[in-house]
Amino acid sequence: MIGLIISLIIVGLIAGALARLVIPGKQHMSILMTIVLGIIGSFVGGFLGYLIFHHDASNGFFQPAGIIGSIIGAIIVLFIYTRFNRGARTR
């Protein structure tokens, strides 16, 4: 159990940092928020992988993805976050 948590944190940090490098512009996020971004991206990537490939039906559709899926999911989550956050700042 502790190994899963540590691996989620490490993969979350890597995926979140790479997503922040890919998405242009300045994101005002701490390292903790970058880790959370990567962890959420991992679950989004796992969900998208399940929808596209219909694989791992025994684990369900809410599961963490590998590093590539985590990065893709984190990019999607960060893109959505920046679009909603930009709209909140202009008000």
Side-chain angles (χ1 to χ4, degrees), residues 1 17 28 51 56 66 73 83 91:
M1 182 68 172
H28 300 285
L51 286 179
D56 284 334
R83 296 302 168 227
R91 292 182 192 168

Side-chain angles (χ1 to χ4, degrees), residues 4-87:
L4 174 67
I5 293 171
I6 291 172
S7 65
L8 277 176
I9 290 172
I10 292 171
V11 169
L13 178 63
I14 293 169
L18 288 174
R20 288 183 66 188
L21 288 173
V22 170
I23 298 291
K26 179 144 175 87
Q27 301 93 19
H28 300 285
M29 300 174 89
S30 65
I31 291 185
L32 181 64
M33 285 302 296
T34 303
I35 292 170
V36 170
L37 167 72
I39 292 171
I40 292 171
S42 178
F43 283 101
V44 169
F47 178 70
L48 291 176
Y50 175 77
L51 286 179
I52 293 170
F53 301 113
H54 300 291
H55 189 55
D56 284 334
S58 63
N59 291 334
F61 63 88
F62 190 66
Q63 59 188 351
I67 188 71
I68 302 296
S70 299
I71 294 169
I72 292 170
I75 290 171
I76 293 169
V77 171
L78 184 59
F79 179 77
I80 293 169
Y81 173 78
T82 57
R83 296 302 168 227
F84 281 116
N85 196 22
R86 184 178 302 167

